[in-house]
Amino acid sequence: MSYSGWKGGEKYTSVAQVRASASEKTDHARGPGDGPKNRLGRVLMTKLKVYKGSAHPHAAQQPDSLAAAK
């Protein structure tokens, strides 16, 4: 939601619109709800990185999909 300060100046964006434009925003917004609700949780959220798809710049980590692990 954004607000211009004028009457009737509220602008809302639905979750479907955010998912269509940038799905990593919804994943990043969901992160704090999954972690602890204290100082540690706030520090962990500063380190959270969300990437679209399986491509990422971290060469040391080789994640597998859950289907391939079974």
Side-chain angles (χ1 to χ4, degrees):
M1 181 182 112
S2 64
Y3 182 58
S4 67
W6 292 87
K7 291 182 180 178
E10 297 174 4
K11 295 181 181 177
Y12 295 97
T13 306
S14 69
V15 175
Q17 291 171 335
V18 174
R19 272 193 205 129
S21 64
S23 63
E24 63 270 3
K25 282 187 180 180
T26 56
D27 293 337
H28 201 276
R30 187 178 56 196
D34 294 341
K37 313 309 191 259
N38 54 23
R39 281 181 262 169
L40 175 63
R42 289 188 290 276
V43 171
L44 290 175
M45 286 305 110
T46 61
K47 298 172 184 278
L48 177 67
K49 294 176 178 66
V50 178
Y51 298 103
K52 185 182 275 189
S54 62
H56 58 80
H58 307 292
Q61 299 176 3
Q62 300 299 324
D64 279 336
S65 65
L66 292 176
K70 289 182 180 181

PDB file of all heavy atoms in Angstrom, residues 2-35:
ATOM      1  N   SER A   2       0.530   2.231  -0.749  1.00  0.00           N
ATOM      2  CA  SER A   2       1.212   3.520  -0.704  1.00  0.00           C
ATOM      3  C   SER A   2       0.155   4.594  -0.512  1.00  0.00           C
ATOM      4  O   SER A   2      -1.003   4.434  -0.886  1.00  0.00           O
ATOM      5  CB  SER A   2       1.995   3.750  -1.991  1.00  0.00           C
ATOM      6  OG  SER A   2       1.121   3.830  -3.095  1.00  0.00           O
ATOM      7  N   TYR A   3       0.573   5.689   0.077  1.00  0.00           N
ATOM      8  CA  TYR A   3      -0.368   6.763   0.382  1.00  0.00           C
ATOM      9  C   TYR A   3       0.266   8.085   0.027  1.00  0.00           C
ATOM     10  O   TYR A   3       1.384   8.391   0.466  1.00  0.00           O
ATOM     11  CB  TYR A   3      -0.746   6.716   1.862  1.00  0.00           C
ATOM     12  CG  TYR A   3      -1.753   7.761   2.268  1.00  0.00           C
ATOM     13  CD1 TYR A   3      -2.998   7.831   1.660  1.00  0.00           C
ATOM     14  CD2 TYR A   3      -1.465   8.685   3.254  1.00  0.00           C
ATOM     15  CE1 TYR A   3      -3.925   8.784   2.030  1.00  0.00           C
ATOM     16  CE2 TYR A   3      -2.387   9.642   3.633  1.00  0.00           C
ATOM     17  CZ  TYR A   3      -3.617   9.686   3.018  1.00  0.00           C
ATOM     18  OH  TYR A   3      -4.530  10.636   3.382  1.00  0.00           O
ATOM     19  N   SER A   4      -0.422   8.896  -0.786  1.00  0.00           N
ATOM     20  CA  SER A   4       0.122  10.167  -1.246  1.00  0.00           C
ATOM     21  C   SER A   4      -0.089  11.295  -0.248  1.00  0.00           C
ATOM     22  O   SER A   4       0.537  12.341  -0.364  1.00  0.00           O
ATOM     23  CB  SER A   4      -0.524  10.550  -2.574  1.00  0.00           C
ATOM     24  OG  SER A   4      -1.910  10.825  -2.380  1.00  0.00           O
ATOM     25  N   GLY A   5      -0.951  11.104   0.742  1.00  0.00           N
ATOM     26  CA  GLY A   5      -1.256  12.175   1.685  1.00  0.00           C
ATOM     27  C   GLY A   5      -2.558  12.893   1.364  1.00  0.00           C
ATOM     28  O   GLY A   5      -3.080  13.638   2.176  1.00  0.00           O
ATOM     29  N   TRP A   6      -3.061  12.702   0.171  1.00  0.00           N
ATOM     30  CA  TRP A   6      -4.316  13.309  -0.237  1.00  0.00           C
ATOM     31  C   TRP A   6      -5.474  12.356   0.051  1.00  0.00           C
ATOM     32  O   TRP A   6      -5.285  11.147   0.127  1.00  0.00           O
ATOM     33  CB  TRP A   6      -4.294  13.616  -1.747  1.00  0.00           C
ATOM     34  CG  TRP A   6      -3.325  14.689  -2.104  1.00  0.00           C
ATOM     35  CD1 TRP A   6      -1.993  14.523  -2.384  1.00  0.00           C
ATOM     36  CD2 TRP A   6      -3.591  16.069  -2.204  1.00  0.00           C
ATOM     37  NE1 TRP A   6      -1.406  15.717  -2.655  1.00  0.00           N
ATOM     38  CE2 TRP A   6      -2.388  16.709  -2.552  1.00  0.00           C
ATOM     39  CE3 TRP A   6      -4.711  16.857  -2.035  1.00  0.00           C
ATOM     40  CZ2 TRP A   6      -2.275  18.071  -2.729  1.00  0.00           C
ATOM     41  CZ3 TRP A   6      -4.597  18.220  -2.227  1.00  0.00           C
ATOM     42  CH2 TRP A   6      -3.387  18.822  -2.561  1.00  0.00           C
ATOM     43  N   LYS A   7      -6.671  12.918   0.155  1.00  0.00           N
ATOM     44  CA  LYS A   7      -7.854  12.088   0.352  1.00  0.00           C
ATOM     45  C   LYS A   7      -8.037  11.201  -0.865  1.00  0.00           C
ATOM     46  O   LYS A   7      -7.988  11.662  -2.000  1.00  0.00           O
ATOM     47  CB  LYS A   7      -9.103  12.950   0.515  1.00  0.00           C
ATOM     48  CG  LYS A   7      -9.140  13.724   1.795  1.00  0.00           C
ATOM     49  CD  LYS A   7     -10.425  14.518   1.891  1.00  0.00           C
ATOM     50  CE  LYS A   7     -10.471  15.299   3.170  1.00  0.00           C
ATOM     51  NZ  LYS A   7     -11.685  16.111   3.267  1.00  0.00           N
ATOM     52  N   GLY A   8      -8.262   9.925  -0.618  1.00  0.00           N
ATOM     53  CA  GLY A   8      -8.435   8.984  -1.715  1.00  0.00           C
ATOM     54  C   GLY A   8      -7.134   8.639  -2.423  1.00  0.00           C
ATOM     55  O   GLY A   8      -7.153   8.087  -3.505  1.00  0.00           O
ATOM     56  N   GLY A   9      -6.001   8.958  -1.833  1.00  0.00           N
ATOM     57  CA  GLY A   9      -4.713   8.733  -2.474  1.00  0.00           C
ATOM     58  C   GLY A   9      -4.084   7.390  -2.151  1.00  0.00           C
ATOM     59  O   GLY A   9      -2.898   7.191  -2.400  1.00  0.00           O
ATOM     60  N   GLU A  10      -4.867   6.478  -1.586  1.00  0.00           N
ATOM     61  CA  GLU A  10      -4.333   5.159  -1.251  1.00  0.00           C
ATOM     62  C   GLU A  10      -4.288   4.285  -2.497  1.00  0.00           C
ATOM     63  O   GLU A  10      -5.232   4.248  -3.274  1.00  0.00           O
ATOM     64  CB  GLU A  10      -5.211   4.491  -0.195  1.00  0.00           C
ATOM     65  CG  GLU A  10      -5.257   5.232   1.110  1.00  0.00           C
ATOM     66  CD  GLU A  10      -6.242   4.617   2.078  1.00  0.00           C
ATOM     67  OE1 GLU A  10      -6.836   3.574   1.750  1.00  0.00           O
ATOM     68  OE2 GLU A  10      -6.429   5.187   3.148  1.00  0.00           O
ATOM     69  N   LYS A  11      -3.168   3.594  -2.671  1.00  0.00           N
ATOM     70  CA  LYS A  11      -3.026   2.681  -3.801  1.00  0.00           C
ATOM     71  C   LYS A  11      -2.637   1.317  -3.252  1.00  0.00           C
ATOM     72  O   LYS A  11      -1.668   1.196  -2.515  1.00  0.00           O
ATOM     73  CB  LYS A  11      -1.958   3.169  -4.766  1.00  0.00           C
ATOM     74  CG  LYS A  11      -2.326   4.478  -5.429  1.00  0.00           C
ATOM     75  CD  LYS A  11      -1.273   4.909  -6.393  1.00  0.00           C
ATOM     76  CE  LYS A  11      -1.683   6.236  -7.014  1.00  0.00           C
ATOM     77  NZ  LYS A  11      -0.667   6.751  -7.923  1.00  0.00           N
ATOM     78  N   TYR A  12      -3.413   0.312  -3.611  1.00  0.00           N
ATOM     79  CA  TYR A  12      -3.182  -1.043  -3.133  1.00  0.00           C
ATOM     80  C   TYR A  12      -2.681  -1.923  -4.279  1.00  0.00           C
ATOM     81  O   TYR A  12      -3.079  -1.737  -5.425  1.00  0.00           O
ATOM     82  CB  TYR A  12      -4.469  -1.651  -2.569  1.00  0.00           C
ATOM     83  CG  TYR A  12      -4.965  -0.952  -1.338  1.00  0.00           C
ATOM     84  CD1 TYR A  12      -5.949   0.025  -1.405  1.00  0.00           C
ATOM     85  CD2 TYR A  12      -4.445  -1.258  -0.102  1.00  0.00           C
ATOM     86  CE1 TYR A  12      -6.402   0.675  -0.273  1.00  0.00           C
ATOM     87  CE2 TYR A  12      -4.892  -0.626   1.045  1.00  0.00           C
ATOM     88  CZ  TYR A  12      -5.866   0.335   0.948  1.00  0.00           C
ATOM     89  OH  TYR A  12      -6.303   0.970   2.074  1.00  0.00           O
ATOM     90  N   THR A  13      -1.830  -2.878  -3.925  1.00  0.00           N
ATOM     91  CA  THR A  13      -1.348  -3.870  -4.876  1.00  0.00           C
ATOM     92  C   THR A  13      -1.709  -5.239  -4.330  1.00  0.00           C
ATOM     93  O   THR A  13      -1.366  -5.564  -3.196  1.00  0.00           O
ATOM     94  CB  THR A  13       0.175  -3.769  -5.046  1.00  0.00           C
ATOM     95  OG1 THR A  13       0.511  -2.426  -5.379  1.00  0.00           O
ATOM     96  CG2 THR A  13       0.649  -4.683  -6.151  1.00  0.00           C
ATOM     97  N   SER A  14      -2.401  -6.036  -5.128  1.00  0.00           N
ATOM     98  CA  SER A  14      -2.809  -7.353  -4.662  1.00  0.00           C
ATOM     99  C   SER A  14      -1.617  -8.304  -4.696  1.00  0.00           C
ATOM    100  O   SER A  14      -0.613  -8.074  -5.371  1.00  0.00           O
ATOM    101  CB  SER A  14      -3.936  -7.905  -5.523  1.00  0.00           C
ATOM    102  OG  SER A  14      -3.449  -8.214  -6.807  1.00  0.00           O
ATOM    103  N   VAL A  15      -1.725  -9.411  -3.961  1.00  0.00           N
ATOM    104  CA  VAL A  15      -0.655 -10.404  -3.926  1.00  0.00           C
ATOM    105  C   VAL A  15      -0.462 -11.015  -5.310  1.00  0.00           C
ATOM    106  O   VAL A  15       0.665 -11.297  -5.727  1.00  0.00           O
ATOM    107  CB  VAL A  15      -0.976 -11.498  -2.880  1.00  0.00           C
ATOM    108  CG1 VAL A  15       0.054 -12.596  -2.919  1.00  0.00           C
ATOM    109  CG2 VAL A  15      -1.052 -10.891  -1.499  1.00  0.00           C
ATOM    110  N   ALA A  16      -1.540 -11.198  -6.050  1.00  0.00           N
ATOM    111  CA  ALA A  16      -1.439 -11.759  -7.399  1.00  0.00           C
ATOM    112  C   ALA A  16      -0.636 -10.834  -8.319  1.00  0.00           C
ATOM    113  O   ALA A  16       0.165 -11.302  -9.140  1.00  0.00           O
ATOM    114  CB  ALA A  16      -2.829 -11.998  -7.979  1.00  0.00           C
ATOM    115  N   GLN A  17      -0.810  -9.522  -8.179  1.00  0.00           N
ATOM    116  CA  GLN A  17      -0.052  -8.585  -9.003  1.00  0.00           C
ATOM    117  C   GLN A  17       1.427  -8.597  -8.638  1.00  0.00           C
ATOM    118  O   GLN A  17       2.289  -8.527  -9.513  1.00  0.00           O
ATOM    119  CB  GLN A  17      -0.608  -7.175  -8.835  1.00  0.00           C
ATOM    120  CG  GLN A  17      -1.979  -6.980  -9.440  1.00  0.00           C
ATOM    121  CD  GLN A  17      -2.597  -5.645  -9.069  1.00  0.00           C
ATOM    122  OE1 GLN A  17      -2.259  -5.063  -8.047  1.00  0.00           O
ATOM    123  NE2 GLN A  17      -3.511  -5.181  -9.898  1.00  0.00           N
ATOM    124  N   VAL A  18       1.732  -8.712  -7.345  1.00  0.00           N
ATOM    125  CA  VAL A  18       3.136  -8.760  -6.921  1.00  0.00           C
ATOM    126  C   VAL A  18       3.788 -10.049  -7.400  1.00  0.00           C
ATOM    127  O   VAL A  18       4.924 -10.047  -7.871  1.00  0.00           O
ATOM    128  CB  VAL A  18       3.246  -8.635  -5.386  1.00  0.00           C
ATOM    129  CG1 VAL A  18       4.679  -8.843  -4.929  1.00  0.00           C
ATOM    130  CG2 VAL A  18       2.750  -7.278  -4.931  1.00  0.00           C
ATOM    131  N   ARG A  19       3.062 -11.172  -7.312  1.00  0.00           N
ATOM    132  CA  ARG A  19       3.600 -12.450  -7.789  1.00  0.00           C
ATOM    133  C   ARG A  19       3.884 -12.412  -9.280  1.00  0.00           C
ATOM    134  O   ARG A  19       4.863 -12.982  -9.753  1.00  0.00           O
ATOM    135  CB  ARG A  19       2.610 -13.575  -7.508  1.00  0.00           C
ATOM    136  CG  ARG A  19       2.789 -14.186  -6.178  1.00  0.00           C
ATOM    137  CD  ARG A  19       2.015 -15.490  -6.091  1.00  0.00           C
ATOM    138  NE  ARG A  19       1.710 -15.749  -4.696  1.00  0.00           N
ATOM    139  CZ  ARG A  19       0.531 -16.027  -4.230  1.00  0.00           C
ATOM    140  NH1 ARG A  19      -0.496 -16.129  -5.026  1.00  0.00           N
ATOM    141  NH2 ARG A  19       0.352 -16.226  -2.944  1.00  0.00           N
ATOM    142  N   ALA A  20       3.014 -11.747 -10.033  1.00  0.00           N
ATOM    143  CA  ALA A  20       3.204 -11.682 -11.479  1.00  0.00           C
ATOM    144  C   ALA A  20       4.429 -10.838 -11.837  1.00  0.00           C
ATOM    145  O   ALA A  20       5.153 -11.156 -12.784  1.00  0.00           O
ATOM    146  CB  ALA A  20       1.965 -11.103 -12.148  1.00  0.00           C
ATOM    147  N   SER A  21       4.687  -9.777 -11.084  1.00  0.00           N
ATOM    148  CA  SER A  21       5.794  -8.896 -11.424  1.00  0.00           C
ATOM    149  C   SER A  21       7.110  -9.367 -10.822  1.00  0.00           C
ATOM    150  O   SER A  21       8.136  -9.375 -11.491  1.00  0.00           O
ATOM    151  CB  SER A  21       5.495  -7.466 -10.973  1.00  0.00           C
ATOM    152  OG  SER A  21       5.387  -7.412  -9.570  1.00  0.00           O
ATOM    153  N   ALA A  22       7.116  -9.725  -9.541  1.00  0.00           N
ATOM    154  CA  ALA A  22       8.360 -10.127  -8.878  1.00  0.00           C
ATOM    155  C   ALA A  22       8.030 -11.104  -7.759  1.00  0.00           C
ATOM    156  O   ALA A  22       7.700 -10.699  -6.647  1.00  0.00           O
ATOM    157  CB  ALA A  22       9.075  -8.906  -8.326  1.00  0.00           C
ATOM    158  N   SER A  23       8.133 -12.390  -8.035  1.00  0.00           N
ATOM    159  CA  SER A  23       7.751 -13.395  -7.047  1.00  0.00           C
ATOM    160  C   SER A  23       8.731 -13.455  -5.890  1.00  0.00           C
ATOM    161  O   SER A  23       8.378 -13.892  -4.798  1.00  0.00           O
ATOM    162  CB  SER A  23       7.632 -14.759  -7.705  1.00  0.00           C
ATOM    163  OG  SER A  23       8.879 -15.159  -8.223  1.00  0.00           O
ATOM    164  N   GLU A  24       9.993 -13.016  -6.082  1.00  0.00           N
ATOM    165  CA  GLU A  24      10.950 -13.061  -4.982  1.00  0.00           C
ATOM    166  C   GLU A  24      10.591 -12.071  -3.873  1.00  0.00           C
ATOM    167  O   GLU A  24      10.985 -12.255  -2.733  1.00  0.00           O
ATOM    168  CB  GLU A  24      12.385 -12.824  -5.472  1.00  0.00           C
ATOM    169  CG  GLU A  24      12.648 -11.479  -6.088  1.00  0.00           C
ATOM    170  CD  GLU A  24      12.407 -11.450  -7.591  1.00  0.00           C
ATOM    171  OE1 GLU A  24      11.985 -12.445  -8.167  1.00  0.00           O
ATOM    172  OE2 GLU A  24      12.635 -10.386  -8.173  1.00  0.00           O
ATOM    173  N   LYS A  25       9.810 -11.057  -4.189  1.00  0.00           N
ATOM    174  CA  LYS A  25       9.371 -10.123  -3.149  1.00  0.00           C
ATOM    175  C   LYS A  25       8.442 -10.806  -2.158  1.00  0.00           C
ATOM    176  O   LYS A  25       8.523 -10.557  -0.957  1.00  0.00           O
ATOM    177  CB  LYS A  25       8.661  -8.916  -3.767  1.00  0.00           C
ATOM    178  CG  LYS A  25       9.588  -7.903  -4.368  1.00  0.00           C
ATOM    179  CD  LYS A  25       8.834  -6.672  -4.789  1.00  0.00           C
ATOM    180  CE  LYS A  25       9.759  -5.654  -5.394  1.00  0.00           C
ATOM    181  NZ  LYS A  25       9.046  -4.447  -5.799  1.00  0.00           N
ATOM    182  N   THR A  26       7.565 -11.673  -2.639  1.00  0.00           N
ATOM    183  CA  THR A  26       6.656 -12.359  -1.720  1.00  0.00           C
ATOM    184  C   THR A  26       7.431 -13.341  -0.854  1.00  0.00           C
ATOM    185  O   THR A  26       7.130 -13.495   0.320  1.00  0.00           O
ATOM    186  CB  THR A  26       5.541 -13.091  -2.483  1.00  0.00           C
ATOM    187  OG1 THR A  26       6.119 -13.988  -3.415  1.00  0.00           O
ATOM    188  CG2 THR A  26       4.645 -12.120  -3.202  1.00  0.00           C
ATOM    189  N   ASP A  27       8.455 -14.004  -1.424  1.00  0.00           N
ATOM    190  CA  ASP A  27       9.271 -14.931  -0.634  1.00  0.00           C
ATOM    191  C   ASP A  27      10.080 -14.185   0.412  1.00  0.00           C
ATOM    192  O   ASP A  27      10.238 -14.639   1.528  1.00  0.00           O
ATOM    193  CB  ASP A  27      10.215 -15.726  -1.539  1.00  0.00           C
ATOM    194  CG  ASP A  27       9.461 -16.663  -2.456  1.00  0.00           C
ATOM    195  OD1 ASP A  27       8.325 -17.021  -2.102  1.00  0.00           O
ATOM    196  OD2 ASP A  27      10.005 -17.034  -3.508  1.00  0.00           O
ATOM    197  N   HIS A  28      10.599 -13.019   0.045  1.00  0.00           N
ATOM    198  CA  HIS A  28      11.395 -12.239   0.992  1.00  0.00           C
ATOM    199  C   HIS A  28      10.503 -11.672   2.095  1.00  0.00           C
ATOM    200  O   HIS A  28      10.913 -11.569   3.248  1.00  0.00           O
ATOM    201  CB  HIS A  28      12.125 -11.115   0.263  1.00  0.00           C
ATOM    202  CG  HIS A  28      13.299 -10.608   1.008  1.00  0.00           C
ATOM    203  ND1 HIS A  28      13.197  -9.667   1.991  1.00  0.00           N
ATOM    204  CD2 HIS A  28      14.609 -10.935   0.944  1.00  0.00           C
ATOM    205  CE1 HIS A  28      14.381  -9.422   2.487  1.00  0.00           C
ATOM    206  NE2 HIS A  28      15.267 -10.173   1.871  1.00  0.00           N
ATOM    207  N   ALA A  29       9.282 -11.333   1.769  1.00  0.00           N
ATOM    208  CA  ALA A  29       8.360 -10.807   2.779  1.00  0.00           C
ATOM    209  C   ALA A  29       7.884 -11.906   3.719  1.00  0.00           C
ATOM    210  O   ALA A  29       7.556 -11.643   4.876  1.00  0.00           O
ATOM    211  CB  ALA A  29       7.162 -10.150   2.097  1.00  0.00           C
ATOM    212  N   ARG A  30       7.862 -13.142   3.235  1.00  0.00           N
ATOM    213  CA  ARG A  30       7.418 -14.253   4.056  1.00  0.00           C
ATOM    214  C   ARG A  30       8.497 -14.678   5.048  1.00  0.00           C
ATOM    215  O   ARG A  30       8.208 -15.271   6.078  1.00  0.00           O
ATOM    216  CB  ARG A  30       7.053 -15.427   3.151  1.00  0.00           C
ATOM    217  CG  ARG A  30       6.433 -16.588   3.860  1.00  0.00           C
ATOM    218  CD  ARG A  30       6.062 -17.665   2.912  1.00  0.00           C
ATOM    219  NE  ARG A  30       7.219 -18.073   2.141  1.00  0.00           N
ATOM    220  CZ  ARG A  30       7.164 -18.784   1.036  1.00  0.00           C
ATOM    221  NH1 ARG A  30       6.006 -19.156   0.572  1.00  0.00           N
ATOM    222  NH2 ARG A  30       8.244 -19.124   0.392  1.00  0.00           N
ATOM    223  N   GLY A  31       9.757 -14.381   4.777  1.00  0.00           N
ATOM    224  CA  GLY A  31      10.879 -14.812   5.597  1.00  0.00           C
ATOM    225  C   GLY A  31      10.795 -14.459   7.071  1.00  0.00           C
ATOM    226  O   GLY A  31      11.012 -15.325   7.928  1.00  0.00           O
ATOM    227  N   PRO A  32      10.501 -13.221   7.459  1.00  0.00           N
ATOM    228  CA  PRO A  32      10.461 -12.890   8.888  1.00  0.00           C
ATOM    229  C   PRO A  32       9.435 -13.688   9.677  1.00  0.00           C
ATOM    230  O   PRO A  32       9.641 -13.962  10.856  1.00  0.00           O
ATOM    231  CB  PRO A  32      10.101 -11.405   8.900  1.00  0.00           C
ATOM    232  CG  PRO A  32      10.528 -10.895   7.585  1.00  0.00           C
ATOM    233  CD  PRO A  32      10.370 -12.030   6.630  1.00  0.00           C
ATOM    234  N   GLY A  33       8.353 -14.108   9.061  1.00  0.00           N
ATOM    235  CA  GLY A  33       7.351 -14.898   9.759  1.00  0.00           C
ATOM    236  C   GLY A  33       7.826 -16.300  10.068  1.00  0.00           C
ATOM    237  O   GLY A  33       7.332 -16.945  10.985  1.00  0.00           O
ATOM    238  N   ASP A  34       8.817 -16.784   9.309  1.00  0.00           N
ATOM    239  CA  ASP A  34       9.326 -18.132   9.508  1.00  0.00           C
ATOM    240  C   ASP A  34      10.392 -18.198  10.596  1.00  0.00           C
ATOM    241  O   ASP A  34      10.655 -19.255  11.143  1.00  0.00           O
ATOM    242  CB  ASP A  34       9.915 -18.680   8.209  1.00  0.00           C
ATOM    243  CG  ASP A  34       8.860 -18.868   7.137  1.00  0.00           C
ATOM    244  OD1 ASP A  34       7.679 -18.926   7.506  1.00  0.00           O
ATOM    245  OD2 ASP A  34       9.216 -18.956   5.962  1.00  0.00           O
ATOM    246  N   GLY A  35      11.037 -17.087  10.885  1.00  0.00           N
ATOM    247  CA  GLY A  35      12.153 -17.084  11.832  1.00  0.00           C
ATOM    248  C   GLY A  35      11.727 -16.722  13.241  1.00  0.00           C
ATOM    249  O   GLY A  35      10.547 -16.475  13.516  1.00  0.00           O
TER     250      GLY A  35
END
